Amino acid sequence: MNGVLDELKWSGLLAQSTDEEALSAHLDSGPVTFYVGFDPTAPSIHMGNLVQLIVARKLQAAGHRPLLLVGGSTGLIGDPKEGGERTINTREVVAEWVEKIRSQVSRFVEMDGPAGAQLVNNLDWTAEINVIDFLRDTGKHFPVNRMLARDVVAKRLESGISYTEFSYVLLQALDYRELFRRHGCTLQTGGSDQWGNITAGVELIRRSEGERVHALSTPLLTKADGTKFGKTEQGTVWLDPERTSPYAFHQFFLNVEDVKVIEYLKVFGNRSREEVTELDRANQEEPFKRAAHRALADDVTDLVHGREEREAATQAAAAIFGREELSTLPESMLSAVAKEVGGGVLDAGADLPTPVDLLPAGGVVDSKGAARRAVKEGGAYLNNTKVEPDRGEDPIGPEDLLHGRFVVVRRGRKTVGVVELRR
């Protein structure tokens, strides 16, 4: 088997391929130009998109050339989803998101060298196509009965699907043919939920060009309960640090389920097979050490945000839980931590609040009565300093405010909150 295909299989990144033996031979025959697409349905890419970028990185490392397509035209339409019709965004919004995503995806591949990646936008070739030419040159190759049989379309037929979303598959197939014509692209990659769209492009090239091209898909990663990976109670885990802070990003991977950590480490980590095997052993024999979780969180945060941001995130976590000095945390990091661990805002007048006021405001106890009990029992902390039993109802001082507005409250070892004071 081709080496990169073997690597993708071991990593759990190969779900389907058009013809694995033929694809293996094709990849062995020399550098292959391949593409993966990203539609601008939001101003940032997310964890599902990162899976595709990791596939692109592995293929590029094996000498193959990536085309990263950001869908300036397909983003105006929207791929059908099971939940119902997508909101159609304005051209201005889509154009803005295209530029943001182009900037994001380009950081994950090498742009120079013989296998240097190229960014492409499908609006470049669809903007000038008229309806008659599109129907004659592309639409005639798509039997409607096969379009109706696609899973997402079949599920939407009863509730309703617009012709706009129904026709999306034609546009994505057109992209593959256009990249085949312009760049000699002979492989498309994507998530398994895109398999119908991907193989439509393979079929269009066969019908209209008489050529054989290839496709592969990755499995959709899930949590142990089968729900979508990359979702939290707060929402999607984004790659944009303004939407998901490096601290929250690192914490997400640090807290993945034990039964899933090795699976995710193979996908997102930067470890040899021997290292992963050893981390798997440690995860089973000494799960309390969480060595695999730390390796996963560190590797993927380094990849997405860089080592410096990852080190700041780990320092912040240590400080919040009493192992490092809180005063060293930058205000931006403390603000990000506050959003992640929870807490509240307290309007303070001329007199600053007491620890008994702050503990419930930070969400670490339910009431002032519970706060008094925590103080009495010696389990209440402000900025990692134990609140002495006789000081629970004394106002804090200005020196207790981190960056002039934050107080970190803690009950016991693990229940933490951040209170922001407004004066």
Side-chain angles (χ1 to χ4, degrees):
M1 178 186 291
N2 177 272
V4 70
L5 285 183
D6 180 59
E7 174 68 15
L8 292 175
K9 274 194 167 183
W10 176 81
S11 300
L13 287 168
L14 185 60
Q16 299 155 296
S17 65
T18 40
D19 183 327
E20 189 173 314
E21 185 176 339
L23 176 57
S24 179
H26 185 54
L27 292 169
D28 280 334
S29 67
V32 167
T33 297
F34 68 95
Y35 100 92
V36 58
F38 305 90
D39 272 353
T41 55
S44 172
I45 54 177
H46 51 72
M47 289 310 305
N49 302 129
L50 183 60
V51 173
Q52 304 313 316
L53 288 165
I54 286 174
V55 172
R57 286 167 62 88
K58 290 180 182 293
L59 286 167
Q60 187 180 44
H64 306 295
R65 178 172 174 250
L67 301 174
L68 304 183
L69 182 148
V70 182
S73 64
T74 42
L76 292 167
I77 300 300
D79 191 16
K81 59 179 184 177
E82 291 185 16
E85 200 78 8
R86 290 185 182 272
T87 299
I88 294 182
N89 295 301
T90 67
R91 292 178 181 273
E92 292 75 20
V93 165
V94 171
E96 178 186 344
W97 290 355
V98 164
E99 292 309 310
K100 288 183 177 181
I101 292 172
R102 282 167 63 92
S103 175
Q104 284 185 313
V105 299
S106 63
R107 295 189 293 106
F108 293 93
V109 292
E110 295 293 332
M111 300 301 293
D112 301 314
Q118 184 174 343
L119 297 172
V120 292
N121 184 343
N122 53 22
L123 191 62
D124 292 343
W125 53 82
T126 56
E128 302 302 321
I129 297 176
N130 64 53
V131 174
I132 296 300
D133 288 342
F134 180 67
L135 293 175
R136 285 173 58 86
D137 297 339
T138 302
K140 69 177 181 179
H141 296 294
F142 286 82
V144 171
N145 60 322
R146 291 183 61 179
M147 294 174 69
L148 289 170
R150 295 176 62 219
D151 285 346
V152 69
V153 173
K155 291 174 181 176
R156 284 278 302 280
L157 283 179
E158 186 173 338
S159 60
I161 183 171
S162 70
Y163 181 75
T164 300
E165 289 194 5
F166 179 67
S167 63
Y168 179 93
V169 63
L170 277 71
L171 291 175
Q172 187 165 326
L174 176 64
D175 289 343
Y176 197 172
R177 185 175 68 180
E178 196 64 29
L179 293 174
F180 171 80
R181 289 174 173 176
R182 293 182 178 217
H183 300 282
C185 177
T186 53
L187 171 64
Q188 183 182 359
T189 68
S192 59
D193 60 336
Q194 289 291 308
W195 189 242
N197 292 331
I198 293 170
T199 53
V202 172
E203 183 66 11
L204 176 61
I205 292 170
R206 185 190 69 81
R207 287 170 176 259
S208 65
E209 312 298 304
E211 297 286 348
R212 183 182 190 182
V213 294
H214 305 272
L216 67 84
S217 74
T218 60
L220 296 181
L221 298 185
T222 62
K223 299 178 184 178
D225 63 2
T227 58
K228 200 169 185 179
F229 170 78
K231 292 281 188 178
T232 69
E233 291 181 3
Q234 291 75 37
T236 301
V237 178
W238 302 97
L239 273 58
D240 181 348
E242 297 298 319
R243 296 172 72 88
T244 300
S245 72
Y247 173 84
F249 190 90
H250 190 266
Q251 287 291 309
F252 172 79
F253 283 96
L254 200 60
N255 291 302
V256 300
E257 301 149 309
D258 291 355
V259 297
K260 285 288 188 175
V261 65
I262 298 301
E263 176 186 340
Y264 298 157
L265 188 61
K266 287 181 178 181
V267 172
F268 297 109
N270 185 28
R271 310 276 164 160
S272 68
R273 298 190 188 192
E274 292 74 20
E275 287 178 291
V276 172
T277 298
E278 176 57 25
L279 286 166
D280 190 13
R281 181 203 62 77
N283 186 52
Q284 295 181 50
E285 296 179 3
E286 302 173 303
F288 58 92
K289 291 187 176 180
R290 301 183 68 75
H293 293 77
R294 287 197 302 275
L296 170 64
D298 288 354
D299 283 2
V300 71
T301 307
D302 283 356
L303 174 63
V304 174
H305 296 295
R307 182 173 178 176
E308 185 175 336
E309 289 287 355
R310 185 260 296 173
E311 289 176 345
T314 54
Q315 179 191 355
I320 287 293
F321 291 101
R323 298 187 301 276
E324 296 284 350
E325 179 54 52
L326 278 166
S327 62
T328 63
L329 294 184
E331 185 173 4
S332 60
M333 178 62 75
L334 191 52
S335 180
V337 170
K339 292 179 182 177
E340 180 65 13
V341 302
V345 176
L346 196 61
D347 290 321
D351 296 327
L352 289 173
T354 69
V356 166
D357 296 322
L358 289 165
L359 288 165
V364 299
V365 295
D366 294 331
S367 64
K368 288 186 178 182
R372 291 187 182 97
R373 287 193 296 274
V375 171
K376 182 179 179 181
E377 293 166 359
Y381 297 80
L382 262 62
N383 297 336
N384 292 333
T385 299
K386 182 185 288 188
V387 180
E388 296 302 329
D390 60 343
R391 302 298 302 273
E393 308 219 31
D394 292 345
I396 65 171
E399 69 279 3
D400 295 315
L401 299 179
L402 301 169
H403 299 290
R405 63 190 178 107
F406 292 112
V407 181
V408 176
V409 293
R410 178 158 52 91
R411 179 174 58 81
R413 293 181 59 189
K414 296 184 178 181
T415 308
V416 178
V418 180
V419 181
E420 180 181 356
L421 267 64
R422 290 180 181 167
R423 304 180 66 187

Short mmCIF file of all heavy atoms in Angstrom, two decimals, residues 49 72 110 137 146 357:
data_model
loop_
_atom_site.label_atom_id
_atom_site.label_comp_id
_atom_site.label_asym_id
_atom_site.label_seq_id
_atom_site.Cartn_x
_atom_site.Cartn_y
_atom_site.Cartn_z
N ASN A 49 -13.06 21.22 10.09
CA ASN A 49 -12.19 21.69 9.00
C ASN A 49 -10.73 21.34 9.27
O ASN A 49 -9.97 21.06 8.34
CB ASN A 49 -12.32 23.20 8.84
CG ASN A 49 -13.73 23.66 8.56
OD1 ASN A 49 -14.25 24.56 9.23
ND2 ASN A 49 -14.39 23.06 7.58
N GLY A 72 -16.21 30.92 -2.65
CA GLY A 72 -16.88 32.21 -2.79
C GLY A 72 -18.23 32.12 -3.46
O GLY A 72 -19.11 32.95 -3.22
N GLU A 110 2.37 24.32 3.55
CA GLU A 110 3.49 25.07 2.99
C GLU A 110 3.04 25.71 1.68
O GLU A 110 2.50 25.04 0.81
CB GLU A 110 4.67 24.14 2.74
CG GLU A 110 5.27 23.54 4.00
CD GLU A 110 5.93 24.57 4.89
OE1 GLU A 110 6.39 25.61 4.35
OE2 GLU A 110 5.99 24.36 6.11
N ASP A 137 -23.90 22.32 -20.17
CA ASP A 137 -22.57 21.73 -20.03
C ASP A 137 -22.39 20.92 -18.75
O ASP A 137 -21.54 20.04 -18.68
CB ASP A 137 -21.50 22.83 -20.08
CG ASP A 137 -21.48 23.56 -21.41
OD1 ASP A 137 -21.97 22.99 -22.41
OD2 ASP A 137 -20.97 24.70 -21.45
N ARG A 146 -30.81 10.07 -9.35
CA ARG A 146 -29.65 9.88 -8.48
C ARG A 146 -29.50 11.05 -7.51
O ARG A 146 -29.07 10.87 -6.36
CB ARG A 146 -28.39 9.71 -9.33
CG ARG A 146 -28.38 8.39 -10.10
CD ARG A 146 -27.11 8.19 -10.88
NE ARG A 146 -25.92 8.16 -10.03
CZ ARG A 146 -24.69 7.98 -10.51
NH1 ARG A 146 -24.50 7.79 -11.81
NH2 ARG A 146 -23.66 7.97 -9.70
N ASP A 357 -19.60 37.79 49.80
CA ASP A 357 -20.31 38.31 48.63
C ASP A 357 -19.76 37.69 47.34
O ASP A 357 -20.52 37.38 46.41
CB ASP A 357 -20.13 39.84 48.53
CG ASP A 357 -20.75 40.60 49.68
OD1 ASP A 357 -21.83 40.18 50.14
OD2 ASP A 357 -20.16 41.60 50.11
#
